[in-house]
PDB file of all heavy atoms in Angstrom:
ATOM      1  N   ALA A  56       2.356   6.035  -0.578  1.00 97.00           N
ATOM      2  CA  ALA A  56       3.725   6.411  -0.031  1.00 97.00           C
ATOM      3  C   ALA A  56       3.603   7.245   1.237  1.00 97.00           C
ATOM      4  O   ALA A  56       4.404   6.951   2.242  1.00 97.00           O
ATOM      5  CB  ALA A  56       4.654   6.959  -1.093  1.00 97.00           C
ATOM      6  N   GLN A  57       2.853   8.191   1.303  1.00 97.00           N
ATOM      7  CA  GLN A  57       2.677   9.020   2.591  1.00 97.00           C
ATOM      8  C   GLN A  57       2.178   8.134   3.683  1.00 97.00           C
ATOM      9  O   GLN A  57       2.675   8.278   4.775  1.00 97.00           O
ATOM     10  CB  GLN A  57       1.627  10.140   2.289  1.00 97.00           C
ATOM     11  CG  GLN A  57       1.953  11.128   1.173  1.00 97.00           C
ATOM     12  CD  GLN A  57       3.428  11.658   1.246  1.00 97.00           C
ATOM     13  OE1 GLN A  57       3.887  12.280   2.110  1.00 97.00           O
ATOM     14  NE2 GLN A  57       4.251  11.177   0.371  1.00 97.00           N
ATOM     15  N   PHE A  58       1.242   7.243   3.231  1.00 97.00           N
ATOM     16  CA  PHE A  58       0.732   6.319   4.286  1.00 97.00           C
ATOM     17  C   PHE A  58       1.786   5.548   4.920  1.00 97.00           C
ATOM     18  O   PHE A  58       1.909   5.457   6.071  1.00 97.00           O
ATOM     19  CB  PHE A  58      -0.425   5.367   3.685  1.00 97.00           C
ATOM     20  CG  PHE A  58      -0.467   4.158   4.254  1.00 97.00           C
ATOM     21  CD1 PHE A  58      -1.221   3.974   5.444  1.00 97.00           C
ATOM     22  CD2 PHE A  58       0.175   2.971   3.610  1.00 97.00           C
ATOM     23  CE1 PHE A  58      -1.379   2.674   5.961  1.00 97.00           C
ATOM     24  CE2 PHE A  58      -0.011   1.744   4.216  1.00 97.00           C
ATOM     25  CZ  PHE A  58      -0.704   1.617   5.351  1.00 97.00           C
ATOM     26  N   THR A  59       2.696   4.993   4.123  1.00 97.00           N
ATOM     27  CA  THR A  59       3.778   4.166   4.499  1.00 97.00           C
ATOM     28  C   THR A  59       4.788   4.863   5.424  1.00 97.00           C
ATOM     29  O   THR A  59       5.179   4.452   6.410  1.00 97.00           O
ATOM     30  CB  THR A  59       4.652   3.653   3.327  1.00 97.00           C
ATOM     31  OG1 THR A  59       3.631   3.137   2.347  1.00 97.00           O
ATOM     32  CG2 THR A  59       5.477   2.500   3.770  1.00 97.00           C
ATOM     33  N   PHE A  60       5.066   6.104   4.965  1.00 97.00           N
ATOM     34  CA  PHE A  60       5.961   6.947   5.781  1.00 97.00           C
ATOM     35  C   PHE A  60       5.386   7.209   7.119  1.00 97.00           C
ATOM     36  O   PHE A  60       5.917   7.305   8.173  1.00 97.00           O
ATOM     37  CB  PHE A  60       6.333   8.272   5.035  1.00 97.00           C
ATOM     38  CG  PHE A  60       7.203   9.190   5.774  1.00 97.00           C
ATOM     39  CD1 PHE A  60       8.506   8.938   5.805  1.00 97.00           C
ATOM     40  CD2 PHE A  60       6.634  10.392   6.301  1.00 97.00           C
ATOM     41  CE1 PHE A  60       9.257   9.788   6.597  1.00 97.00           C
ATOM     42  CE2 PHE A  60       7.476  11.140   7.052  1.00 97.00           C
ATOM     43  CZ  PHE A  60       8.831  10.963   7.156  1.00 97.00           C
ATOM     44  N   LEU A  61       4.107   7.666   7.102  1.00 97.00           N
ATOM     45  CA  LEU A  61       3.465   8.157   8.386  1.00 97.00           C
ATOM     46  C   LEU A  61       3.269   7.012   9.334  1.00 97.00           C
ATOM     47  O   LEU A  61       3.062   7.161  10.590  1.00 97.00           O
ATOM     48  CB  LEU A  61       2.142   8.763   8.127  1.00 97.00           C
ATOM     49  CG  LEU A  61       2.420  10.191   7.401  1.00 97.00           C
ATOM     50  CD1 LEU A  61       1.216  10.805   6.826  1.00 97.00           C
ATOM     51  CD2 LEU A  61       2.995  11.165   8.429  1.00 97.00           C
ATOM     52  N   VAL A  62       3.046   5.742   8.860  1.00 97.00           N
ATOM     53  CA  VAL A  62       2.926   4.560   9.818  1.00 97.00           C
ATOM     54  C   VAL A  62       4.184   4.587  10.671  1.00 97.00           C
ATOM     55  O   VAL A  62       4.113   4.317  11.795  1.00 97.00           O
ATOM     56  CB  VAL A  62       2.742   3.364   9.040  1.00 97.00           C
ATOM     57  CG1 VAL A  62       2.808   2.151  10.029  1.00 97.00           C
ATOM     58  CG2 VAL A  62       1.474   3.239   8.367  1.00 97.00           C
ATOM     59  N   GLY A  63       5.296   4.847   9.976  1.00 96.00           N
ATOM     60  CA  GLY A  63       6.575   4.962  10.679  1.00 96.00           C
ATOM     61  C   GLY A  63       6.592   6.024  11.802  1.00 96.00           C
ATOM     62  O   GLY A  63       6.963   5.778  12.917  1.00 96.00           O
ATOM     63  N   VAL A  64       6.152   7.135  11.301  1.00 96.00           N
ATOM     64  CA  VAL A  64       6.045   8.336  12.408  1.00 96.00           C
ATOM     65  C   VAL A  64       5.188   7.824  13.518  1.00 96.00           C
ATOM     66  O   VAL A  64       5.500   8.112  14.723  1.00 96.00           O
ATOM     67  CB  VAL A  64       5.557   9.519  11.729  1.00 96.00           C
ATOM     68  CG1 VAL A  64       5.299  10.687  12.667  1.00 96.00           C
ATOM     69  CG2 VAL A  64       6.498  10.048  10.572  1.00 96.00           C
ATOM     70  N   ALA A  65       4.080   7.177  13.280  1.00 96.00           N
ATOM     71  CA  ALA A  65       3.109   6.833  14.313  1.00 96.00           C
ATOM     72  C   ALA A  65       3.750   5.892  15.202  1.00 96.00           C
ATOM     73  O   ALA A  65       3.650   5.924  16.456  1.00 96.00           O
ATOM     74  CB  ALA A  65       1.820   6.238  13.665  1.00 96.00           C
ATOM     75  N   ALA A  66       4.538   4.884  14.654  1.00 95.00           N
ATOM     76  CA  ALA A  66       5.143   3.760  15.378  1.00 95.00           C
ATOM     77  C   ALA A  66       6.285   4.365  16.316  1.00 95.00           C
ATOM     78  O   ALA A  66       6.488   3.791  17.328  1.00 95.00           O
ATOM     79  CB  ALA A  66       5.633   2.716  14.456  1.00 95.00           C
ATOM     80  N   SER A  67       6.820   5.391  15.887  1.00 93.00           N
ATOM     81  CA  SER A  67       7.950   5.968  16.490  1.00 93.00           C
ATOM     82  C   SER A  67       7.710   6.518  17.985  1.00 93.00           C
ATOM     83  O   SER A  67       8.563   6.698  18.782  1.00 93.00           O
ATOM     84  CB  SER A  67       8.749   7.043  15.756  1.00 93.00           C
ATOM     85  OG  SER A  67       7.898   8.184  15.937  1.00 93.00           O
ATOM     86  N   ALA A  68       6.440   6.580  18.273  1.00 90.00           N
ATOM     87  CA  ALA A  68       6.065   7.026  19.631  1.00 90.00           C
ATOM     88  C   ALA A  68       6.571   6.152  20.639  1.00 90.00           C
ATOM     89  O   ALA A  68       6.967   6.534  21.778  1.00 90.00           O
ATOM     90  CB  ALA A  68       4.481   7.158  19.799  1.00 90.00           C
ATOM     91  N   VAL A  69       6.765   4.884  20.208  1.00 93.00           N
ATOM     92  CA  VAL A  69       7.342   3.774  21.168  1.00 93.00           C
ATOM     93  C   VAL A  69       8.761   4.174  21.627  1.00 93.00           C
ATOM     94  O   VAL A  69       9.082   3.813  22.634  1.00 93.00           O
ATOM     95  CB  VAL A  69       7.218   2.474  20.442  1.00 93.00           C
ATOM     96  CG1 VAL A  69       8.435   2.310  19.467  1.00 93.00           C
ATOM     97  CG2 VAL A  69       7.378   1.373  21.412  1.00 93.00           C
ATOM     98  N   MET A  70       9.455   5.046  20.848  1.00 93.00           N
ATOM     99  CA  MET A  70      10.828   5.389  21.164  1.00 93.00           C
ATOM    100  C   MET A  70      10.814   6.426  22.450  1.00 93.00           C
ATOM    101  O   MET A  70      11.904   6.577  22.994  1.00 93.00           O
ATOM    102  CB  MET A  70      11.509   6.020  20.012  1.00 93.00           C
ATOM    103  CG  MET A  70      12.031   4.920  18.989  1.00 93.00           C
ATOM    104  SD  MET A  70      13.269   3.895  19.608  1.00 93.00           S
ATOM    105  CE  MET A  70      12.434   2.351  19.794  1.00 93.00           C
ATOM    106  N   VAL A  71       9.726   6.977  22.614  1.00 93.00           N
ATOM    107  CA  VAL A  71       9.705   7.702  23.981  1.00 93.00           C
ATOM    108  C   VAL A  71       8.997   6.903  25.163  1.00 93.00           C
ATOM    109  O   VAL A  71       9.398   6.988  26.300  1.00 93.00           O
ATOM    110  CB  VAL A  71       9.110   9.164  23.918  1.00 93.00           C
ATOM    111  CG1 VAL A  71      10.044  10.028  23.090  1.00 93.00           C
ATOM    112  CG2 VAL A  71       7.776   9.138  23.294  1.00 93.00           C
ATOM    113  N   VAL A  72       7.889   6.151  24.631  1.00 93.00           N
ATOM    114  CA  VAL A  72       7.223   5.459  25.602  1.00 93.00           C
ATOM    115  C   VAL A  72       8.084   4.272  26.270  1.00 93.00           C
ATOM    116  O   VAL A  72       8.079   4.110  27.568  1.00 93.00           O
ATOM    117  CB  VAL A  72       5.955   4.826  24.896  1.00 93.00           C
ATOM    118  CG1 VAL A  72       5.206   3.845  25.881  1.00 93.00           C
ATOM    119  CG2 VAL A  72       5.013   5.954  24.470  1.00 93.00           C
ATOM    120  N   LEU A  73       8.759   3.621  25.465  1.00 93.00           N
ATOM    121  CA  LEU A  73       9.608   2.460  25.939  1.00 93.00           C
ATOM    122  C   LEU A  73      10.642   2.883  26.928  1.00 93.00           C
ATOM    123  O   LEU A  73      10.661   2.341  27.995  1.00 93.00           O
ATOM    124  CB  LEU A  73      10.060   1.688  24.655  1.00 93.00           C
ATOM    125  CG  LEU A  73      10.902   0.403  25.036  1.00 93.00           C
ATOM    126  CD1 LEU A  73      10.598  -0.593  23.812  1.00 93.00           C
ATOM    127  CD2 LEU A  73      12.339   0.504  25.307  1.00 93.00           C
ATOM    128  N   PRO A  74      11.538   3.826  26.652  1.00 94.00           N
ATOM    129  CA  PRO A  74      12.504   4.270  27.585  1.00 94.00           C
ATOM    130  C   PRO A  74      11.818   4.722  28.947  1.00 94.00           C
ATOM    131  O   PRO A  74      12.339   4.494  30.073  1.00 94.00           O
ATOM    132  CB  PRO A  74      13.209   5.364  26.940  1.00 94.00           C
ATOM    133  CG  PRO A  74      13.067   5.177  25.499  1.00 94.00           C
ATOM    134  CD  PRO A  74      11.740   4.636  25.424  1.00 94.00           C
TER     135      PRO A  74
END
Side-chain angles (χ1 to χ4, degrees):
Chain A
Q57 303 311 294
F58 151 78
T59 312
F60 178 74
L61 288 163
V62 174
V64 172
S67 72
V69 76
M70 283 292 115
V71 287
V72 171
L73 189 147

